[in-house]
Amino acid sequence: MSPAKRANRRVTLQDVADRVGITAAACSMALRDSDRISPTTKEQVRAVAAELGYVGSSAARALRRQRAGAVALIVPTTSKHVFGHSYFMHVLSGVTSVANDHDTQVLIATNADEARGLTAYERVMRSHSADGAILTSAAIEDETVDRLLASGLPLVLIGNFPQLAAAITVSVDDRTASREATEHLIVVHGRRRLLHLTGPLDHQTGVDRRDGFHDAVAAHGLEEEAVSLEGDFSEEAGRQLVEGRADTFDGIVAANDDMAFGALTALRERGRDVPGEVALIGFDDFGLSRVTTPAISTVAVPAEEMAAVATERLLELIDGRAAGWTRRRMDVTFRFRASCGCDQKL
Amino acid sequence: MSPAKRANRRVTLQDVADRVGITAAACSMALRDSDRISPTTKEQVRAVAAELGYVGSSAARALRRQRAGAVALIVPTTSKHVFGHSYFMHVLSGVTSVANDHDTQVLIATNADEARGLTAYERVMRSHSADGAILTSAAIEDETVDRLLASGLPLVLIGNFPQLAAAITVSVDDRTASREATEHLIVVHGRRRLLHLTGPLDHQTGVDRRDGFHDAVAAHGLEEEAVSLEGDFSEEAGRQLVEGRADTFDGIVAANDDMAFGALTALRERGRDVPGEVALIGFDDFGLSRVTTPAISTVAVPAEEMAAVATERLLELIDGRAAGWTRRRMDVTFRFRASCGCDQKL
DNA sequence: CTGAAAGCGCTTACAG
DNA sequence: CTGAAAGCGCTTACAG
């Protein structure tokens, strides 16, 4: 029997049952290997199911079991913006690999344009088409998160949300990591006049990385010369913030690699040598920093691993399994490359 | 009524109907704005639905309508490999933005590990959880594609599949683009000893780009010196293929940017100047080529736009709308940057 | 232990 | 024109 033939009409459990001469209910149990069904019958059912090319209807199962068998990955910004950051690619990779292992579908829920009005969160809630959600890169004051949390839908957040006591989160210690990155420029490379390019300060990540920078300069008595300027994680912001200020600093700590790259471009245009005259360090290591010249030193965030861990936890939550952890911290990895002066070649 | 309260038990159409004093069927019609229902009743239904926070069950609707309201994005390789290429990110962005505009969910279907056995295609087929699929980066001889096509499931392919007469595809003209890129090195930059680093030759893209390279060298009588070496689109392959051969060529056409970057690394290690001694051009422009030094000249493939167009067509197919096109060609854009010698700065 | 009904939440096709 | 049954395809809870 060719695949084309089979597809003519959907094969249902009833079809299999008729052929074997039992009820659909028994068939269902046979396929789920219930011990109510005799080995002989199970064998027959399996054989017929295979022969007819039976595939269960996910809609019917979902309706009956009150379970979608899917998780949603929610990104509370327009898809255009978000996909531009390869962060999302790592997260998606982590989510799908775990979901795949648990026969769970992955739904992508990005916000529709403001114009159309529907938010990602509303799509998931409305449709009940996912049993839970992973939410990432949310702003501190995002009411979406509060509502999602209040709704009782299983939810795991990636990032730090100190104000949400009830939230289950997976994160890195941005503040400590940023402090250590800054100290690296101070201690190892002897930089004294430091500039910090912040992320958006309505995101906890932006705040924490900035605070870590300040911790470091304060600890080393360099507050006087230190400056931090507000950016938005974009390469363009990095470039603009450094343009015209290129001569003022001997070290730059950017809150992410995109901004570090923007800074690098601006420094290059002004003829400032990196790392000779200005040591530079970024944050994230999602791809860009490794391929530039000089390669950008950075703090690697294990985004894929965080997403995988978050998804494991989400599936536990959905299954109502053991209480488990509420806040999970993952380790960052420092990658000291050429832009800070560590890696000498080229 | 707080969101938390509402979530205690699911609100069904019946609940709304009871409150208004009509049947669930009438309610359903009212919400879909049927003209069988009086304006007054519609108003009441809407008010009650809003008050109770009614959201329809996607599973129930899917079961009844025999429509999932979702499309699947299938990637026939392991997720790890694929997400590594930012190509996928662009595709996903295109698919979600169109799907969002049509109230359609997006499902990600990557292959599970070989060990677990289930392929992406089988997940979609089995579950009937998507009404159609977008398939990308498939190998020429991939039986998945044949079976998917034969199954009758609405399907749109991204890429060239000349051997599949029945397939609906969105693609770029890789062969012509590759020929023109090669001719650019020959005509504009006077290169004579050319090396081509191919993609995997079990993919049409690999074959077409290689053929375009050969078209160009043949047209200019440079076959003698020209060499093409089989790669696999990885940076590592680009590096290895050029290592030890760095002195032999004055122009390299890589089938994608990752390999071009690998080649660049190998040339740099050998102290060969790019573009002075070796002019280099890549293909794709999915992100990497713009940020290297020198920036890599390349042929920009409009992946996001292709995905958007493919999704539009897929939705037409699902709706059974007008026949429409079968093969759609999109234009590439040449980005001549520093690595071929066009952009002089730095 | 096992057979078959009931019902998940919708929407369409039918009866009145 | 409108009311309410039937049924999408499953699986669980119940009756025997």
Side-chain angles (χ1 to χ4, degrees), chain A:
Chain A
M1 182 161 316
S2 77
K5 283 255 179 60
R6 277 188 215 140
N8 290 341
R9 215 185 57 76
R10 167 174 224 148
V11 177
T12 71
L13 207 45
Q14 189 61 55
D15 297 326
V16 178
D18 290 350
R19 186 82 156 256
V20 178
I22 57 173
T23 64
C27 247
S28 169
M29 289 165 156
L31 290 174
R32 320 201 115 243
D33 206 28
S34 156
D35 38 52
R36 267 188 58 173
I37 309 296
S38 78
T40 335
T41 308
K42 278 185 196 168
E43 202 37 69
Q44 280 184 65
V45 171
R46 284 199 205 100
V48 172
E51 188 194 337
L52 299 182
Y54 168 74
V55 288
S57 153
S58 65
R61 177 160 26 247
L63 179 57
R64 176 63 239 226
R65 305 193 61 206
Q66 298 291 86
R67 270 279 213 111
V71 294
L73 174 54
I74 301 183
V75 188
T77 33
T78 67
S79 61
K80 193 132 197 121
H81 171 75
V82 161
F83 289 117
H85 292 57
S86 53
Y87 165 64
F88 187 74
M89 200 169 71
H90 290 90
V91 170
L92 182 55
S93 181
V95 172
T96 52
S97 100
V98 170
N100 274 352
D101 287 349
H102 294 263
D103 286 310
T104 298
Q105 304 278 9
V106 177
L107 239 58
I108 301 298
T110 48
N111 280 8
D113 290 4
E114 302 293 334
R116 300 199 74 256
L118 279 189
T119 65
Y121 131 82
E122 277 161 327
R123 282 177 174 261
V124 173
M125 298 295 286
R126 257 179 214 267
S127 59
H128 283 252
S129 42
D131 302 314
I134 301 279
L135 180 57
T136 175
S137 54
I140 298 173
E141 300 279 342
D142 189 344
E143 61 183 13
T144 294
V145 182
D146 301 308
R147 278 192 286 170
L148 218 39
L149 223 42
S151 76
L153 190 78
L155 179 69
V156 178
L157 305 176
I158 297 180
N160 288 297
F161 296 82
Q163 80 286 11
L164 299 175
I168 296 181
T169 65
V170 182
S171 60
V172 295
D173 185 344
D174 283 306
R175 184 164 180 165
T176 301
S178 181
R179 174 172 62 69
E180 290 177 8
T182 307
E183 286 183 328
H184 178 79
L185 296 193
I186 297 169
V187 176
V188 177
H189 300 289
R191 306 302 160 132
R192 323 296 300 170
R193 288 168 294 121
L194 296 171
L195 170 63
H196 180 56
L197 308 175
T198 80
L201 294 179
D202 57 343
H203 281 242
Q204 193 66 38
T205 301
V207 172
D208 289 344
R209 294 181 186 176
R210 182 202 58 191
D211 291 350
F213 170 81
H214 285 303
D215 290 346
V217 295
H220 292 267
L222 300 171
E223 302 101 314
E224 296 285 299
E225 296 100 322
V227 171
S228 82
L229 301 173
E230 183 167 355
D232 60 5
F233 282 151
S234 74
E235 177 184 328
E236 189 51 25
R239 213 165 66 78
Q240 286 180 4
L241 292 175
V242 170
E243 257 170 6
R245 251 181 290 255
D247 303 331
T248 327
F249 302 91
D250 62 7
I252 298 180
V253 178
N256 77 343
D257 294 333
D258 288 352
M259 286 198 299
F261 180 60
L264 182 63
T265 308
L267 292 167
R268 180 186 293 159
E269 281 166 2
R270 304 292 162 177
R272 294 277 286 168
D273 181 57
V274 175
E277 295 174 281
V278 183
L280 175 67
I281 191 163
F283 215 115
D284 283 349
D285 200 34
F286 298 149
L288 174 133
S289 52
R290 188 182 59 86
V291 303
T292 57
T293 304
I296 297 170
S297 297
T298 192
V299 181
V301 173
E304 182 169 342
E305 205 183 332
M306 289 166 79
V309 164
T311 307
E312 294 279 11
R313 188 70 182 89
L314 179 62
L315 293 174
E316 275 179 33
L317 230 47
I318 291 171
D319 286 349
R321 277 184 269 148
W325 49 267
T326 294
R327 315 240 138 177
R328 176 76 172 269
R329 270 282 160 79
M330 310 287 285
D331 290 331
V332 299
T333 309
F334 292 89
R335 304 227 194 273
F336 299 120
R337 299 198 267 234
S339 76
C340 68
C342 277
D343 186 350
Q344 298 301 330
K345 55 169 194 217
L346 198 77

Side-chain angles (χ1 to χ4, degrees), chain B residues 155-173:
Chain B
L155 179 69
V156 178
L157 305 176
I158 297 181
N160 288 298
F161 297 82
Q163 79 286 9
L164 300 175
I168 296 182
T169 65
V170 182
S171 60
V172 296
D173 185 344

Side-chain angles (χ1 to χ4, degrees), chain B residues 319-335:
Chain B
D319 287 348
R321 278 185 268 148
W325 50 267
T326 295
R327 315 240 138 177
R328 176 75 171 273
R329 269 284 160 77
M330 310 288 283
D331 291 330
V332 298
T333 309
F334 292 90
R335 304 225 194 274

